Structures are given as C-alpha cells and as structure tokens.
Amino acid sequence: MSAHRKLARAVGLPAAVVGFSALAIAPALAHVTISPGAAAAGSTMIATVAVPHGCDGSATTKIIISIPKQLVEVTPSRNANWDVTKTMTKLATPEKADDGDEITEKVNTVVYTAKTPLPDGYRDAFELEFDVPKDVGTTMVFPTIQKCEEGETDWTQVAAPGAAEPENPAPTVKIVASPAAATAFLDGTAPTSAKSSSGGASKGLAWSGLIVGIVGLLVGAGALAKSSRKA
C-alpha cells in the first residue's frame, strides 16, 4: 500500500467521525425556534420566531404561533412577504390594564400567511413584541404549526423535566430574574436548574459531538503514526 493511500485511510476515520458529529448537532439547528430563549421578568422584549426550512422539501405557506397563557397582549411585526393577523380569545376572568381599562380578551394566535410560498432551503423570521410577566422561573411556550404546500409540521412538543429534547419541540422562552440572568442563561453559565430541557439537550449534543470528534482525531493520528513506522 502506498504512503498516500495509508495517509488517506488514516485521515479518513477522523473525517468520518467529525462528519457524524456534525450530523448529531444538526437537528437542533433545524428546528423552528424563538430567540432569545430567556427574558428578564417585567421587561419588554422582541422575540424572533425563525423558520429555517419547509416540510420534507415542501414550501411553507403559513405559520401559526400560539401565544402562551401568560401573555395577554402581543404586537407582531409586519413582514413584506407575509400577511399577518391576530386571533383573540375571551379571558375567563377580566384583567385590569395599567391605565385602568378592563381587558376581556387576549391574543390567542398570531398567523403569518405567505404571499408567495417560502421555498425549502430558505429561512424567514417573524418578530413578536410583548411585556414579559414577573413569574420568575416559569417558561413561556409558543406552540407553532408550520403549514406547507404538502403537509405540515407541528412544533408543539414539550419535554418533561430532565427528559431529552423531543423530535418537534415547541419554541420556549424562560423567564429569569434580571437581564444579567438572561445573559447567563443564554451563555450556558446559569445554574442547571435554571436551564430548559431543550437547551440542555442541545448543549449535550454539541459536547458529545465535540468529544467524539476529538477521539476520532486521536485514533486517526495513531493510525497515521503506525503506518509511517511500517513504511
């Protein structure tokens, strides 16, 4: 066997392993997501819902975002490529607004309908502005349905505490005590108890992929050294 072929065989293993690692991390990047994934209690935030692909290759025609029960008012941004509407639902118990007015209904869903279907392989993003409740430690869930020319994907699954991330996770925003706590949460430096299951699972995949890649590189380097000695 030539030295060139020995080198190719030795290098091929870590390359394959690194490729596998990338595949392990990729699913987390393919979800419909909302960012930032954490917000300070009592603040006003603009959250961005991102749609990175279609439904098994089919173009996206509509995005239906369900608004968490904790939120009463939500202001969606307009998007030149989409028509946007809000649907409302009656509150079981009317609430008082800051100006004293009585609020009897809340935003139930925000619906974006494509003027021209969004092709698979292209992404778009939708902004929602709202006041973050003061319920520190709770998680707001934004179940989202992605309708396509053929089929749909329901991003509505919520993992149980400590469980692995589901196949089609619903976008979530964690309510934390302060902007600094939100930054720590997003950087991955917050205490484990403050992290969402989906965030922990994604970071776990990333670390697993990195470790497997390093092991592959070490194995490949050993094989290369052994081949060189034999040559």
Side-chain angles (χ1 to χ4, degrees):
M1 181 181 295
S2 68
H4 176 74
R5 291 184 62 187
K6 290 178 180 178
L7 177 63
R9 186 174 66 176
V11 174
L13 176 59
V17 173
V18 172
F20 172 78
S21 303
L23 289 175
I25 300 171
L29 304 179
H31 299 157
V32 168
T33 58
I34 189 168
S35 61
S43 66
T44 297
M45 79 174 295
I46 296 177
T48 301
V49 177
V51 178
H53 56 74
C55 308
D56 294 326
S58 180
T60 302
T61 58
K62 183 177 291 188
I63 299 296
I64 304 172
I65 306 167
S66 293
I67 303 304
K69 62 182 180 180
Q70 298 101 318
L71 300 180
V72 174
E73 298 181 353
V74 173
T75 303
S77 294
R78 298 183 67 180
N79 183 313
N81 299 315
W82 304 72
D83 292 321
V84 58
T85 58
K86 294 189 291 186
T87 66
M88 309 298 290
T89 187
K90 291 286 185 181
L91 289 172
T93 303
E95 299 181 7
K96 287 288 185 181
D98 293 338
D99 59 6
D101 288 346
E102 185 177 69
I103 301 174
T104 60
E105 58 181 9
K106 71 177 291 295
V107 178
N108 186 41
T109 63
V110 173
V111 182
Y112 282 92
T113 303
K115 296 177 181 178
T116 300
L118 177 67
D120 183 48
Y122 291 84
R123 71 182 298 277
D124 212 335
F126 313 94
E127 293 181 340
L128 306 175
E129 182 179 22
F130 51 84
D131 292 331
V132 181
K134 298 180 180 179
D135 306 323
V136 174
T138 63
T139 298
M140 296 183 290
V141 182
F142 295 77
T144 300
I145 297 176
Q146 178 184 11
K147 290 185 175 291
C148 297
E149 290 182 316
E150 295 183 9
E152 69 177 52
T153 303
D154 296 348
W155 302 94
T156 57
Q157 298 173 339
V158 179
E165 184 177 66
E167 182 178 0
N168 297 321
T172 60
V173 175
K174 185 81 170 184
I175 301 176
V176 295
S178 65
T183 299
F185 179 90
L186 297 172
D187 287 346
T189 57
T192 302
S193 61
K195 298 178 183 177
S196 66
S197 60
S198 61
S202 297
K203 291 182 182 296
L205 281 173
W207 277 109
S208 298
L210 178 61
I211 291 170
V212 172
I214 292 172
V215 171
L217 289 172
L218 292 175
V219 171
L224 178 60
K226 184 175 180 181
S227 298
S228 297
R229 288 196 298 272
K230 288 183 178 180

